[in-house]
Amino acid sequence: MIDAYADPGTPDRRGGWSYLWWLTCRQPGRAVAGAVLSSVWMVLMAVAPYLMSRAVDDGLEGGDTAALVGWTAALLLVGAFNSWVSILRHRTMTRVRMDANFRTVKVVVGHTVRLGAALPRRIGAGEVVTIGVGDVQTIATSLTMIGPGVGSVVVYVVVAGVLLSVSPLLAAVVLLGMPVIAVLVGPLMGRLQGAEGEYRERQGVLTARIGDLAGGLRVLNGLGGKGLIADAFHRDSQRLRAQGYRVGAVTSWMQALGMGLPTVFLAVVTWLAARLAARGELTVGELVAVYGYVAVLVGPVAFVVDMGYQLSRGVVAARRVVRLLRLEPDDPVTGTADAPAGPAVLYDPASGVRIAPGLLTALAGARPADTAAVIDRLGRYGPTDVTWGGVRLDEVGPARVRERILVADNEADLFAGSLRELVGGRRDASAAEIGRALRAAAAEDIVQGLPDGLDSPVAARGRSLSGGQRQRVRLARALLADPEVLLAVEPTSALDAHTEAAIARRLRGARAGRTTVVTSTSPLLLDQADRVLYLVDGKLAAAGRHRVLLETEPGYRALVARDTEDAQDAQDAGVVRDAQALQGPRNSSGAGDGTVEGAVR
């Protein structure tokens, strides 16, 4: 099987069938061995009826005990040897399946990593989950049919050839059986691919909705929207169930044909052989052999039908994987230019924003999407013509950019693990360093409220924390990374005024002499900034200190005044009480978590 660290290769992205063929060609020796072993296994099963017929004709009918013992011993040896071949066949096909599974996982994971920040914008989370949980396994299972499928065709030809020496009529019936099966099963395969494809699409949508519900159920409940979302989920579930029934209907027909056609086939050939034996055209031993040959063919015929079923499902799953692999990053350029030797100016021509090194700069705009777009360009998360010290940012290698410029999104994922791991990331930070980062993010109360402090487990996506706690943990993680340039998107949007003011003061001290950019319309944060850049429709409209802009820019004053009124309303709702609670121990239930949500609750 593929090594965990081996290169999985470049997948064929032309289509579902091409991808399955690529997986097969990546392990040619194993695929050929599986086909050969399966062929030998099935042919040896067909040898058993011949040996039995010889034992009947030469031993029983001829009264030759030695011949009877000899042919019986040969039958026993062939059966024992075929059992060993069957074990090898099964092991080989298992390796084929596991290689396809691991290789597809590596290809999908590697490509999602290359897509990076573009992934959520290009494909839904439910789609990715469905591929990882279901499609990968379906593809791997479909490749398991390589060996039995080839073996079925081989033994079919061998048995037809043997029957030709016994009776041309029986051989003709056997040879016509496979085309009849193909005519009956072929249309069902097309229907199955269509129904299965639609089912997988609906399943991806429903999976994404489940993830959204899990992450936002508490907020929905607070807004009174839980019932509405539950009704929508119920309707989608009913549609998925109905589509599942349609898939099941086609599948049941294919499985019925897989079991029924071989039985009919066996009955027809046995009836013809019995008529020939009654007329004396076949011996008793040959009659037994013919029955055995056709009985042996029941398995291969069922394998052929099952192969069509599995390959149909595998092609549907492979098409979904290929669709993911066809997605390209927003910024595929690798870049070979050297980054500036030291702190340098970041300039975004699209907006006119110029970030001076060593300062705390705030971007304020009426539409958060406008300021977030500037951050994406400054951090090279998408197409950009930003210059960094006079060098185009997209000409610098992404790895060099990530080493020195960090974008801290307020919706960044938090993986399951201890709080220490969440904040420390890949850094082996000391408790003192983590403590300083947590204090700068006003997050000490989170540690105090957890039973094991920094070693307390946190659920995936930080679901065991409140919204405000998650936001402060994200900020602490970014501050601990201590990048040369920190670009923070709305780092205090979910916090109450008291906590926000503390973070604003501490952030300035923690990042003294380092380049820091925040997007915000909060006067508490803007007042601490060395420079505020006011954006209108994504373009720089004014720049200066917060208090100066309040006096000179009516639009800026109206924007900030609105935030001031919102903050006052939140305080009237009970934020002062929450601010006082910051002096005492906390818990992870959300009460006193430094958020407006926690204060109101």
Side-chain angles (χ1 to χ4, degrees), residues 446-466:
I446 301 176
V447 181
Q448 297 169 6
L450 293 174
D452 298 319
L454 288 174
D455 295 319
S456 299
V458 178
R461 300 184 68 178
R463 290 195 179 98
S464 55
L465 303 176
S466 70

Side-chain angles (χ1 to χ4, degrees), residues 63-295:
D64 188 343
T65 304
L68 179 60
V69 172
W71 287 115
T72 303
L75 183 62
L76 178 62
L77 290 175
V78 168
F81 177 74
N82 208 22
S83 298
W84 178 70
V85 172
S86 178
I87 293 173
L88 294 181
R89 176 198 63 83
H90 186 273
R91 289 181 177 179
T92 302
M93 298 316 301
T94 298
R95 290 189 174 95
V96 169
R97 182 179 71 249
M98 297 307 293
D99 184 281
N101 191 312
F102 294 149
R103 195 177 299 274
T104 300
V105 168
K106 291 196 68 173
V107 166
V108 169
V109 171
H111 191 68
T112 54
V113 170
R114 284 191 293 273
L115 287 173
L119 180 65
R121 297 193 293 268
R122 310 292 291 279
I123 187 171
E127 181 85 355
V128 178
V129 171
T130 302
I131 289 174
V133 173
D135 292 334
V136 171
Q137 186 63 38
T138 301
I139 290 171
T141 302
S142 68
L143 289 192
T144 309
M145 301 308 299
I146 294 174
V150 173
S152 298
V153 175
V154 171
V155 74
Y156 198 85
V157 173
V158 170
V159 169
V162 172
L163 287 177
L164 188 62
S165 65
V166 177
S167 170
L169 176 62
L170 295 177
V173 172
V174 170
L175 288 173
L176 288 175
M178 194 68 76
V180 171
I181 292 174
V183 170
L184 292 175
V185 175
L188 290 176
M189 290 178 60
R191 288 185 58 189
L192 178 62
Q193 289 185 27
E196 183 82 14
E198 185 176 348
Y199 178 80
R200 291 291 186 179
E201 295 290 340
R202 292 186 182 277
Q203 188 179 38
V205 172
L206 197 62
T207 303
R209 183 157 291 179
I210 291 173
D212 294 340
L213 283 173
L217 188 60
R218 181 169 57 187
V219 177
L220 288 171
N221 193 33
L223 296 174
K226 185 172 68 173
L228 181 65
I229 298 299
D231 291 341
F233 183 81
H234 177 72
R235 289 193 298 271
D236 288 342
S237 299
Q238 296 300 313
R239 295 191 189 100
L240 181 64
R241 185 181 66 175
Q243 185 62 26
Y245 286 151
R246 285 191 283 271
V247 174
V250 181
T251 301
S252 64
W253 274 106
M254 292 192 68
Q255 292 178 346
L257 289 175
M259 296 297 294
L261 287 178
T263 304
V264 174
F265 189 61
L266 175 63
V268 171
V269 176
T270 303
W271 182 79
L272 290 173
R275 292 292 300 270
L276 292 174
R279 292 200 300 262
E281 297 179 20
L282 293 180
T283 66
V284 175
E286 287 176 332
L287 176 60
V288 172
V290 169
Y291 179 84
Y293 292 145
V294 181

